[in-house]
């Protein structure tokens, strides 16, 4: 009876740049980093829940970086890695979706005072952050779906 191992399923080294879902690592870096930069460049009010958005963007950026280097170095060859891959990216989807909703709510709240020139720049930054946040959510979602398919094959 032949058994499959995760070594046949998870790529290592430069193969992560050519396999789905691992090709999503680079866009996740870009869009997650942009969310982090755009939110960090605005002013935060005391009652503003941007702390959660910053936590999510930094957590996912650092987590994706670690995950990327684990895959790049080939340390992902034990049998638990396919399920950990699905779990991490699912957690990232849930976190980013909640942060995106909060960020969209704050952006809508800022639309009322966007006619004041000082707040117009912040409003535009928030709009950009919302778009990037939803794109990051979509990328993490796609990564989760394709990781789950890969996990079921292993």
């Amino acid at each position: 009876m032949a058994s499959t191992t995760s070594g046949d399923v998870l790529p290592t080294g430069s193969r992560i740049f050519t396999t789905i879902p691992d090709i999503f690592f680079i866009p996740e870096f870009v869009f997650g980093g942009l969310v982090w930069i755009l939110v960090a460049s605005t002013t935060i009010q005391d009652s503003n829940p941007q702390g959660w958005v910053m936590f999510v963007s930094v957590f996912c950026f650092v987590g994706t970086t670690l995950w990327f280097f684990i895959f790049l170095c080939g340390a992902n060859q034990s049998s638990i890695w396919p399920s950990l891959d699905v779990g991490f990216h699912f957690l990232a989807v849930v976190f980013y979706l909640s942060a995106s909703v909060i960020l969209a709510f704050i952006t809508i709240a800022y639309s009322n005072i966007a006619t004041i020139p000082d707040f117009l720049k912040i409003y535009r930054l928030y709009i950009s952050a919302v778009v990037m946040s939803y794109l990051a959510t979509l990328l993490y979602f796609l990564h989760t779906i394709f990781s789950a398919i890969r996990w079921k094959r292993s």
Side-chain angles (χ1 to χ4, degrees), residues 11-26 150:
T12 60
S14 63
R15 286 188 357 194
I16 63 173
F17 297 109
T18 60
T19 59
I20 295 216
D22 304 311
I23 197 132
F24 292 125
F25 277 130
I26 301 302
R150 179 170 62 189

Side-chain angles (χ1 to χ4, degrees), residues 1-153:
M1 185 186 254
S3 66
T4 60
T5 62
S6 65
D8 299 327
V9 177
L10 294 178
T12 60
S14 63
R15 286 188 357 194
I16 63 173
F17 297 109
T18 60
T19 59
I20 295 216
D22 304 311
I23 197 132
F24 292 125
F25 277 130
I26 301 302
E28 288 168 358
F29 284 136
V30 171
F31 291 117
L34 283 172
V35 171
W36 182 4
I37 291 167
L38 289 168
V39 172
S41 66
T42 62
T43 57
I44 306 289
Q45 306 299 328
D46 291 338
S47 61
N48 197 340
Q50 292 288 42
W52 175 248
V53 178
M54 285 299 293
F55 169 77
V56 168
S57 61
V58 172
F59 173 79
C60 289
F61 189 84
V62 170
T64 301
T65 303
L66 291 173
W67 213 252
F68 176 74
F69 284 120
I70 286 170
F71 273 56
L72 194 61
C73 294
N76 60 344
Q77 296 305 304
S78 71
S79 62
I80 194 156
W81 283 98
S83 57
L84 287 175
D85 191 32
V86 173
F88 170 74
H89 286 95
F90 179 75
L91 182 68
V93 168
V94 171
F95 277 10
Y96 253 114
L97 186 60
S98 67
S100 299
V101 170
I102 290 170
L103 195 56
F105 176 75
I106 292 167
T107 304
I108 291 170
Y110 260 84
S111 68
N112 297 331
I113 58 173
T115 56
I116 303 170
D118 293 338
F119 291 106
L120 184 60
K121 179 182 175 186
I122 295 170
Y123 178 64
R124 289 179 179 163
L125 288 171
Y126 279 160
I127 290 173
S128 300
V130 168
V131 171
M132 297 304 149
S133 182
Y134 277 110
L135 285 174
T137 304
L138 176 65
L139 287 167
Y140 279 109
F141 178 73
L142 291 173
H143 200 141
T144 303
I145 295 299
F146 287 117
S147 291
I149 291 170
R150 179 170 62 189
W151 175 45
K152 288 296 183 182
R153 282 189 309 194

